[in-house]
Amino acid sequence: MSRTIFNTIELLPPDALFGIKQRYNADERKDKVDLGIGAYRDNQGKPWVLPSVKSAELAIHADPNYNHEYLNITGLNALTSGAANIIFGPDSDAIKNERIVSTQSISGTGALHIAAKFLSKFFPERKIYLSDPTWANHQAIFQAQGLVTNTYPYWDNETKSLDLNGFERSIEVAPEGSVFVLHACAHNPTGLDPTKEQWETILERIAYKGHLALFDSAYQGFASGDLNKDAYSIRLGVEKLKRVAPILVCQSFAKNVGMYGERVGCFHIVLPEQDTKEELTTVKKALSSQLSKIIRSEVSNPPAYGAKIVATILNSDELRAQWYKDMITMSSRIMEMRVTLRDRLNELGTPGTWDHIVEQTGMFSFTGLTSEMVARLEKEHSIYMVSSGRASIAGLNKLNVDRVAQSIDEVVRHFTNESKL
Amino acid sequence: MLLIRHRSLAETAKIIHQRSFTSLVEKVPLAPADKILGLTAFYNRDPNPKKINLTVGVYQDAWGKVTTFPSVAKSQKLIDNDLLLNKNLSYLPITGCKDFETNVMNFLFKESMHHPELIEQDRISFIQTLSGTGAVAIAASFLSTFITNEISVPNYSWANHTNIFTKNGFPSVDYYPYYDRKTGQIDFQNWINHLKNLPFLGKPRGILLHASCHNPTGLDPTRQQWEKIIDTIYELKMIPVIDMAYQGLETGNLIEDAHLLRLCLNTDKYPHWNNGIFLCQSFAKNMGLYGERVGSLSIVLPEADSQLKERVNSQLKRIVRGIYSSPPGYGSRIANVLLSTPNLKKQWFKDVKSMVERLQSVRLAMFERLNWPDLINKESNHGMFYFTRFSEGQVNELRTKYGIYLTLDGRLSLSGVNNYNVDYLCEALQNVSKLARA
């Protein structure tokens, strides 16, 4: 045996979310419940292929021209244009005036990564501001590209509501031209979104300070069942910043079309208005060429299958109508589970207040459970969630919600009593 | 540049100040169009009815159609019709599907390389990747973080290799002589001399090797030359980074084509690769899964040490998580079903063989018309590409005068040639070859 450079490589802790999945899979208790990873489950706790997706798959397989040829470097045009339509709205001024540069990405992570790589190449000194807390992977994605990240206050643990003052203060003191990463809707992990009025304030402050807004849109239509409602913040941002600065948008179809493992997403740069058409064309061409170069250096071109499914849905009136129904099916089941869980906890008289579970939107609830409580839930009750207390509501169903409520009740009482001793 | 209307002076001043970001975005320079995929865009706009696209390495049948291999089509059917196989579109693990890993590792290391002990001893760090590009990109990122940021790449090489390394932590790449454009031969002695004369800067150096069917020249070293090259690389303690994009397309026999890997793993000759061997492998060409992005990165570790493997895997996961979280599922399910179903796998071996037979018949048909001997030199000229050694001027002439598209370096994709266009093509090639090569 001899020591080589390989011996100096350090072991990293497993990724928290995928680690939970591994422990969950290894757990042999029959009534285990996975509230870890953010994937939708139906009322039987099974993964659910959307009916619109099934129809799209049939259409794709029936097409005599179906093959596995390479997509363009920037992906399938039918996908990127359809995706821009739903996120910016069919009447978008940015679409009409062709102010958008789009590319397909490996879902939301891939879009964020392209954004990070793009920023690190052309604006390496800009600080990236992330909400506190935020999706576990945000920091890693930006830091991996050598960018400096910072946080802005978001969640007030006392009131379990938005810390708007703290948020505004961060916008105020951040060096001009910083990048603010905003969750377009269904904030991960808190499930708490700014109100319409709060978004007005936030985006005006960002515009005024000359910051750059980067929207991460992972839950459009999944959160409320309504594409327009869930794109409110982005469309407002496009409007507010249209004479000021570009906007970056990272769009995922993992949740709202259930394309999780097929890795379908888009990255869009919305340019502010330009004096002339020629100028706009020149800037767009340059941006597109740089994005292509980044993509070419890592994946050459994005995966085709999932892109074809989503493009088929977005470009068919019939399938789109079905998809709208599917999103309502998912969002209303999740809402029902939120209400049921809150009601059960109230019935049990579990110490604390639980209305925030119902007020939060999207896949998750930031339950307020401590990491000790979460550990006990896993150990004693075979219920798995992230140690921050984030629970994926999609993992709840009619068969397990009672037991989950009872288990939460037990761990909360266990630690509440203990602290009183 | 910006429209400013109805604003107070103070606000206007503010906004003009804010232009810093916008104008910086406006200063982003135009990156050159990708040499290969950019040409397809030109081709698509060309009104010439006789136009032929010989740029992209996608296999087409004798009727010029991109078809799905029978083995792949059957695997697809199985997946599409079987709810158990396609029950959901859930996330794969960061490093990919576990069954895919088992089946691909068995195919590569047991069947192709005859080294099952590497799997048994836990010597391989394996991840599913977005085809060959993804494998090289992850390898580059890993190497530049932990092992070395020096790499030697053949001159010529796939246009994207340099881009991948320089965008993933390598400040620059070194080019070793590979192809002698004058003679159309491997520039063997200069290659060896170049490697021997590289300065040692305190770090081991990576060397990118094409396992077979060198892209773009289609010219591979002979087996004897390979032995001498690997001897040199081993002596110099370089790290082989092997890009195997065309397994099966050299001889038509998938197993046979892994000869470079078998050579490197011959422990009698090379008992210990100090910093491992990096294998970047793709199913894009040999399964025709191009756009589905299916491939793998295997790092053959220097030691059988499960802790070492765990450490390496943890770092690979970190890299993947920061780029795309987890790989796409569909294509890997196809490959997985194909590799784990014996009769489909048998069919696949046949499919690859008949693809290569067609490419060889194209070479023969062109040879009959052009009498260029390297077209049919089986010892060295392999795969989907034929390197014309045409100058850029000649390539442009072919495009503008005949509507025939090659990549600018003169690479011709044989798969776009068929009975319907071979006469027209060879006539044009003949005419253009008479022009000065300068």
Side-chain angles (χ1 to χ4, degrees):
Chain A
M1 298 292 235
S2 64
R3 283 181 60 85
T4 71
I5 298 184
F6 271 76
N7 294 69
T8 64
I9 295 169
E10 168 198 5
L11 177 69
L12 293 174
D15 180 83
L17 282 175
F18 284 86
I20 291 169
K21 197 175 176 185
Q22 272 173 5
R23 294 204 302 280
Y24 173 80
N25 287 341
D27 191 334
E28 286 177 357
R29 289 172 286 184
K30 283 222 167 63
D31 52 1
K32 62 184 176 180
V33 179
D34 182 5
L35 305 181
I37 204 151
Y40 182 77
R41 297 288 180 262
D42 67 12
N43 239 330
Q44 275 75 48
K46 295 262 159 57
W48 190 60
V49 178
L50 278 55
S52 54
V53 169
K54 278 188 192 153
S55 304
E57 280 191 282
L58 286 178
I60 290 166
H61 296 150
D63 182 345
N65 291 321
Y66 174 50
N67 62 37
H68 301 292
E69 246 192 283
Y70 294 116
L71 300 183
N72 296 327
I73 299 176
T74 52
L76 196 62
N77 286 335
L79 171 74
T80 48
S81 62
N85 263 325
I86 65 152
I87 201 153
F88 300 112
D91 307 321
S92 163
D93 171 69
I95 293 182
K96 266 188 217 137
N97 295 316
E98 299 177 349
R99 287 193 280 119
I100 305 171
V101 179
S102 303
T103 178
Q104 188 181 326
S105 64
I106 317 290
S107 201
T109 305
L112 286 158
H113 169 73
I114 294 170
K117 207 146 184 171
F118 174 79
L119 289 168
S120 79
K121 176 153 187 206
F122 295 104
F123 314 102
E125 75 291 356
R126 310 264 168 162
K127 284 210 171 94
I128 311 292
Y129 280 79
L130 304 168
S131 67
D132 179 21
T134 191
W135 179 45
N137 205 17
H138 269 149
Q139 201 186 339
I141 292 172
F142 290 101
Q143 286 182 355
Q145 298 312 312
L147 292 160
V148 177
T149 61
N150 237 317
T151 58
Y152 59 83
Y154 187 85
W155 169 260
D156 183 340
N157 207 24
E158 287 295 303
T159 60
K160 297 195 169 54
S161 65
L162 183 73
D163 181 1
L164 185 63
N165 286 335
F167 195 161
E168 276 190 85
R169 238 185 345 269
S170 284
I171 298 176
E172 206 53 47
V173 300
E176 298 220 1
S178 295
V179 180
F180 273 77
V181 177
L182 307 168
H183 298 230
C185 69
H187 182 269
N188 179 355
T190 67
L192 171 82
D193 291 333
T195 62
K196 286 188 176 182
E197 292 72 31
Q198 288 169 332
W199 272 123
E200 289 262 351
T201 311
I202 292 162
L203 290 165
E204 265 165 24
R205 300 314 297 161
I206 285 176
Y208 190 74
K209 290 290 292 184
H211 297 319
L212 182 76
L214 188 160
F215 285 98
D216 183 358
S217 176
Y219 298 95
Q220 192 195 2
F222 184 93
S224 70
D226 180 344
L227 285 172
N228 296 324
K229 199 173 163 195
D230 292 345
Y232 175 80
S233 63
I234 292 181
R235 293 178 194 175
L236 185 68
V238 169
E239 182 56 33
K240 292 256 180 232
L241 289 148
K242 77 173 172 190
R243 299 196 179 94
V244 183
I247 288 177
L248 310 183
V249 177
C250 301
Q251 182 182 19
S252 159
F253 291 101
K255 272 76 178 183
N256 57 5
V257 190
M259 284 292 108
Y260 308 97
E262 299 309 326
R263 320 304 293 132
V264 190
C266 291
F267 174 62
H268 309 276
I269 301 177
V270 185
L271 288 164
E273 289 174 342
Q274 309 285 308
D275 274 356
T276 63
K277 194 108 192 153
E278 290 69 41
E279 236 173 86
L280 181 64
T281 313
T282 310
V283 182
K284 274 171 59 183
K285 255 196 173 159
L287 289 174
S288 185
S289 72
Q290 296 291 352
L291 296 179
S292 295
K293 201 160 165 89
I294 293 172
I295 295 163
R296 187 76 166 131
S297 77
E298 286 170 347
V299 300
S300 269
N301 41 70
Y305 188 68
K308 286 176 187 166
I309 293 177
V310 177
T312 304
I313 294 172
L314 295 180
N315 292 293
S316 144
D317 290 339
E318 193 188 328
L319 291 181
R320 232 176 28 248
Q322 177 62 47
W323 178 45
Y324 297 156
K325 282 188 210 158
D326 298 341
M327 285 188 287
I328 289 169
T329 304
M330 294 189 286
S331 58
S332 53
R333 194 189 83 72
I334 288 198
M335 195 61 213
E336 191 189 339
M337 283 303 117
R338 287 181 184 280
V339 172
T340 313
L341 180 62
R342 186 226 16 215
D343 291 352
R344 293 287 180 280
L345 290 169
N346 284 343
E347 283 159 28
L348 291 162
T350 311
T353 58
W354 303 99
D355 283 343
H356 57 277
I357 296 176
V358 174
E359 285 150 14
Q360 295 161 344
T361 68
M363 185 92 72
F364 303 112
S365 171
F366 214 48
T367 57
L369 299 181
T370 64
S371 57
E372 293 88 0
M373 293 176 184
V374 172
R376 185 173 170 86
L377 269 180
E378 181 173 319
K379 188 160 176 276
E380 301 296 329
H381 302 280
S382 58
I383 294 170
Y384 290 74
M385 65 173 77
V386 183
S387 63
S388 64
R390 187 194 82 168
S392 175
I393 298 295
L396 292 176
N397 57 55
K398 286 181 173 153
L399 306 172
N400 66 21
V401 66
D402 288 349
R403 197 176 82 75
V404 169
Q406 284 152 13
S407 306
I408 290 177
D409 184 67
E410 192 278 326
V411 300
V412 172
R413 284 179 198 280
H414 179 83
F415 286 102
T416 321
N417 292 342
E418 222 171 48
S419 65
K420 278 180 193 149
L421 288 175
Chain B
M1 301 240 272
L2 291 163
L3 295 176
I4 299 155
R5 302 180 193 121
H6 317 301
R7 286 185 190 274
S8 72
L9 249 175
E11 231 182 328
T12 307
K14 187 85 211 165
I15 285 172
I16 286 169
H17 185 62
Q18 286 162 7
R19 282 175 48 181
S20 62
F21 205 105
T22 314
S23 56
L24 274 174
V25 167
E26 284 160 6
K27 278 190 194 126
V28 169
L30 184 71
D34 182 80
K35 285 190 178 129
I36 299 166
L37 300 176
L39 283 167
T40 302
F42 281 114
Y43 171 82
N44 291 336
R45 288 198 290 271
D46 190 336
N48 186 339
K50 287 186 162 173
K51 65 182 177 177
I52 312 173
N53 185 0
L54 303 176
T55 60
V56 187
V58 172
Y59 179 72
Q60 297 167 18
D61 66 13
W63 292 268
K65 283 205 65 159
V66 177
T67 51
T68 304
F69 290 153
S71 54
V72 171
K74 280 178 198 155
S75 306
Q76 230 167 273
K77 272 246 159 63
L78 278 180
I79 293 169
D80 298 338
N81 296 335
D82 187 332
L83 278 177
L84 276 177
L85 290 171
N86 199 24
K87 66 182 180 300
N88 66 61
L89 308 163
S90 297
Y91 292 116
L92 294 182
I94 300 173
T95 52
C97 166
K98 211 67 206 160
D99 291 345
F100 176 85
E101 173 175 332
T102 308
N103 287 316
V104 174
M105 288 220 306
N106 280 339
F107 169 66
L108 291 174
F109 291 95
K110 264 190 199 160
E111 287 175 71
S112 301
M113 296 174 217
H114 317 313
H115 281 280
E117 81 284 358
L118 292 175
I119 299 174
E120 288 148 20
Q121 297 166 357
D122 238 7
R123 278 267 309 271
I124 301 157
S125 270
F126 179 98
I127 63 169
Q128 180 183 329
T129 59
L130 279 103
S131 202
T133 305
V136 180
I138 304 294
S141 188
F142 179 86
L143 282 166
S144 65
T145 309
F146 298 105
I147 315 288
T148 181
N149 55 12
E150 289 174 47
I151 183 91
S152 296
V153 171
N155 181 24
Y156 302 79
S157 196
W158 181 41
N160 202 23
H161 275 143
T162 300
N163 188 33
I164 295 174
F165 283 104
T166 53
K167 280 266 190 301
N168 290 285
F170 287 75
S172 62
V173 302
D174 165 65
Y175 297 98
Y176 62 81
Y178 181 86
Y179 183 74
D180 184 339
R181 213 181 154 95
K182 288 209 184 75
T183 60
Q185 303 293 317
I186 293 286
D187 199 357
F188 179 69
Q189 206 47 53
N190 284 329
W191 178 354
I192 301 274
N193 293 343
H194 177 90
L195 298 185
K196 287 191 167 159
N197 290 326
L198 281 168
F200 180 70
L201 300 173
K203 283 177 197 152
R205 172 183 284 275
I207 179 164
L208 186 101
L209 303 169
H210 296 231
S212 69
C213 306
H214 180 267
N215 179 3
T217 67
L219 184 76
D220 294 322
T222 63
R223 303 290 170 97
Q224 291 79 5
Q225 287 174 329
W226 269 131
E227 290 209 19
K228 296 219 170 78
I229 290 159
I230 301 302
D231 284 350
T232 307
I233 290 172
Y234 186 77
E235 271 167 37
L236 295 171
K237 297 194 178 346
M238 296 180 93
I239 308 164
V241 180
I242 300 177
D243 186 350
M244 186 158 70
Y246 299 96
Q247 188 185 3
L249 275 82
E250 176 180 341
T251 62
N253 180 330
L254 284 152
I255 303 303
E256 178 53 35
D257 283 8
H259 57 84
L260 179 62
L261 270 306
R262 286 196 296 273
L263 174 63
C264 291
L265 291 171
N266 180 345
T267 44
D268 295 336
K269 285 177 71 93
Y270 317 116
H272 190 257
W273 290 95
N274 241 345
N275 289 294
I277 297 172
F278 289 69
L279 171 60
C280 307
Q281 173 266 343
S282 162
F283 289 116
K285 320 283 176 176
N286 61 14
M287 282 194 193
L289 288 175
Y290 316 99
E292 309 303 342
R293 317 308 292 135
V294 193
S296 68
L297 167 66
S298 303
I299 307 178
V300 182
L301 299 168
E303 309 284 349
D305 172 351
S306 60
Q307 282 178 354
L308 172 63
K309 181 177 155 179
E310 201 187 336
R311 293 203 302 276
V312 171
N313 281 353
S314 76
Q315 298 289 354
L316 292 174
K317 277 185 195 172
R318 182 190 56 82
I319 295 169
V320 169
R321 190 82 166 117
I323 303 179
Y324 57 84
S325 277
S326 59
Y330 185 71
S332 69
R333 285 198 291 276
I334 295 178
N336 192 37
V337 165
L338 190 157
L339 290 172
S340 58
T341 313
N343 60 330
L344 291 180
K345 196 161 157 192
K346 232 184 238 164
Q347 176 69 46
W348 177 46
F349 276 66
K350 277 190 208 155
D351 295 341
V352 171
K353 189 160 174 270
S354 47
M355 164 167 63
V356 172
E357 280 167 1
R358 191 185 100 69
L359 291 171
Q360 281 167 353
S361 77
V362 166
R363 285 176 180 275
L364 189 62
M366 287 176 68
F367 173 74
E368 283 164 355
R369 287 161 179 79
L370 292 163
N371 208 16
W372 297 350
D374 52 350
L375 274 164
I376 53 163
N377 172 0
K378 275 196 182 178
E379 192 185 12
S380 294
N381 287 72
H382 304 133
M384 213 179 264
F385 301 122
Y386 174 71
F387 208 57
T388 58
R389 286 189 277 150
F390 282 173
S391 67
E392 238 178 87
Q394 288 172 305
V395 173
N396 286 335
E397 177 85 359
L398 267 181
R399 183 172 70 240
T400 49
K401 197 161 171 195
Y402 301 95
I404 294 169
Y405 287 67
L406 314 188
T407 52
L408 291 180
D409 55 11
R411 186 188 83 173
L412 180 156
S413 175
L414 295 162
S415 101
V417 184
N418 54 50
N419 287 341
Y420 307 100
N421 62 23
V422 66
D423 288 326
Y424 176 73
L425 168 71
C426 288
E427 206 186 306
L429 289 174
Q430 190 74 268
N431 291 340
V432 168
S433 72
K434 288 174 192 150
L435 299 172
R437 292 200 170 203

